[in-house]
Amino acid sequence: MNLQERVLLKKANRDELYCLEPPFPTTNFLIETSNACNHACIFCAHQKMKRKIGKINTEFVFDILKQAYDLGTREVGFYATGEPFLVPELPDYIRKAKEIGYTYVYLTSNGALATPERIRAVIDAGLDSIKFSINAPERKMYAFIHGKDDFDTVLEHLKYLNQYRKESGRNYKIFVTGILTRYTENMKDMYFDVFKGLADEIVFKNVYNQGGYMPEIDTLLRCTYDNEEYRRCNLPFDAISVTCEGYLSVENADFENMLVVADLNKVSLKDGWYGEKMKKIRQAFIDDKLEGTLCDGCVHHRFSEAKPLTPELATDNPDIFSDRLVRERLKKAGYID
């Protein structure tokens, strides 16, 4: 499966997955090493998040990696709602995954903290690919989208990734992804000019209601040509998402743990994956009856009141569906009145 196919997995038409007890995933295993982030992207719910900032326990990571591997998983990514390079133990996790036997270990980063020293550490630990999320191809728009003026820094770090690949002789892949909004949808050609020779592949994704937490995307940020009414999602059937607290979630972008189905500190990964709460949300997807869940707004492109699947593990945030922060940034930039 190539990168483009990975990016489209959420929307892929794979009806064979849609059952209450699907095969345990061999790919699509994401571990949230931390929910801290150094950027504030306009389309990201992290800017509204009230969940306590933390990082994952090292012993837990080693254990969950082994559990997943024993169940057949062979690929793992170390990222979710936060920036992986904020976590000093990141190289240790990569090295452990490779020691266990994972054939493909990867991560996505905004790249601002991917200094040469940190790049060498993760690559030397065995990283197979790294993707920089660069959501505008020029400095001014980048600062508007990311909330930080780090474009030049990220570009230098991307250049070093390529330099170190030549110096080290290591065969890791380098990708750039751009999440397109109505303010950047016409900048695709610029990506290929700016990043020519610096990425093995440039992949674009249209912005969407991130995990159900960002209904304002449909009204304020969505690409003008995007008329999708139903968003296909295979995550409950073919993806393992582990939060930094050690919870199993339906969605890797679960900023307030509203889609948590199991506490993996108390139950095994296998029991969580095949547990009753996961089966219940799978049945809701099969029947397309997602009302009352966070997934409803994401799948059906609408504002949808939602309740957490496991209330005692979720963070109460009365402002999570507010569009205030996005609207304020758009006003400040002069895009709306």
Side-chain angles (χ1 to χ4, degrees), residues 1-10 12 28 30 75 79 104-108 128-133 173-178 199-205:
M1 184 181 293
N2 62 33
L3 183 68
Q4 184 68 25
E5 288 170 333
R6 293 179 197 281
V7 169
L8 295 178
L9 177 64
K10 284 187 179 181
N28 307 313
L30 294 182
E75 300 184 5
Y79 65 94
Y104 187 71
V105 180
Y106 58 102
L107 61 86
T108 294
D128 294 292
S129 77
I130 182 169
K131 180 169 62 179
F132 275 13
S133 182
K173 298 298 183 181
I174 302 171
F175 301 113
V176 167
T177 186
D200 299 314
E201 190 173 1
I202 299 174
V203 180
F204 301 103
K205 295 192 291 183

Side-chain angles (χ1 to χ4, degrees), residues 9 12-23 25 28 232-239 273 282 286:
L9 177 64
N13 186 13
R14 298 177 62 193
D15 288 326
E16 77 278 5
L17 292 176
Y18 276 57
C19 63
L20 296 185
E21 295 190 356
N28 307 313
R232 180 79 171 191
C233 180
N234 293 329
L235 293 180
F237 305 90
D238 196 35
W273 176 255
R282 288 183 186 130
I286 292 170

Side-chain angles (χ1 to χ4, degrees), residues 127-284:
L127 192 71
D128 294 292
S129 77
I130 182 169
K131 180 169 62 179
F132 275 13
S133 182
I134 305 175
N135 300 306
E138 59 88 24
R139 183 180 176 184
K140 183 177 179 181
M141 181 59 73
Y142 179 97
F144 166 66
I145 295 292
H146 281 256
K148 290 291 181 68
D149 185 10
D150 284 337
F151 181 79
D152 293 340
T153 298
V154 171
L155 185 57
E156 288 304 310
H157 291 169
L158 183 61
K159 290 177 180 177
Y160 185 78
L161 263 176
N162 285 267
Q163 176 185 328
Y164 191 60
R165 183 162 63 177
K166 293 178 181 178
E167 292 176 356
S168 66
R170 296 183 181 274
N171 189 29
Y172 56 90
K173 298 298 183 181
I174 302 171
F175 301 113
V176 167
T177 186
I179 297 178
L180 300 176
T181 69
R182 66 184 59 173
Y183 304 104
T184 56
E185 62 186 30
N186 296 319
M187 291 184 166
K188 283 186 178 181
D189 289 344
M190 190 182 298
Y191 270 88
F192 294 103
D193 292 337
V194 174
F195 303 115
K196 183 179 181 180
L198 295 177
D200 299 314
E201 190 173 1
I202 299 174
V203 180
F204 301 103
K205 295 192 291 183
N206 293 338
V207 70
Y208 71 98
N209 184 349
Q210 192 182 36
Y213 285 102
M214 294 290 288
E216 62 266 42
I217 282 175
D218 280 326
T219 56
L220 297 173
L221 299 175
R222 194 176 184 183
C223 294
T224 59
Y225 55 77
D226 184 1
N227 57 7
E228 178 186 74
E229 295 181 357
Y230 176 81
R231 183 174 181 83
R232 180 79 171 191
C233 180
N234 293 329
L235 293 180
F237 305 90
D238 196 35
I240 312 161
S241 302
V242 177
T243 76
C244 64
E245 298 92 347
Y247 306 151
L248 178 64
S249 177
V250 175
E251 157 73 63
N252 63 285
D254 191 6
F255 291 88
E256 301 292 20
N257 288 337
M258 291 182 67
L259 293 172
V260 165
V261 294
D263 184 350
L264 300 179
N265 299 287
K266 298 179 179 179
V267 301
S268 71
L269 180 56
K270 182 178 181 180
D271 286 346
W273 176 255
Y274 291 112
E276 291 306 311
K277 285 192 176 182
M278 186 64 99
K279 288 181 181 178
K280 185 175 181 180
I281 194 68
R282 288 183 186 130
Q283 188 67 62

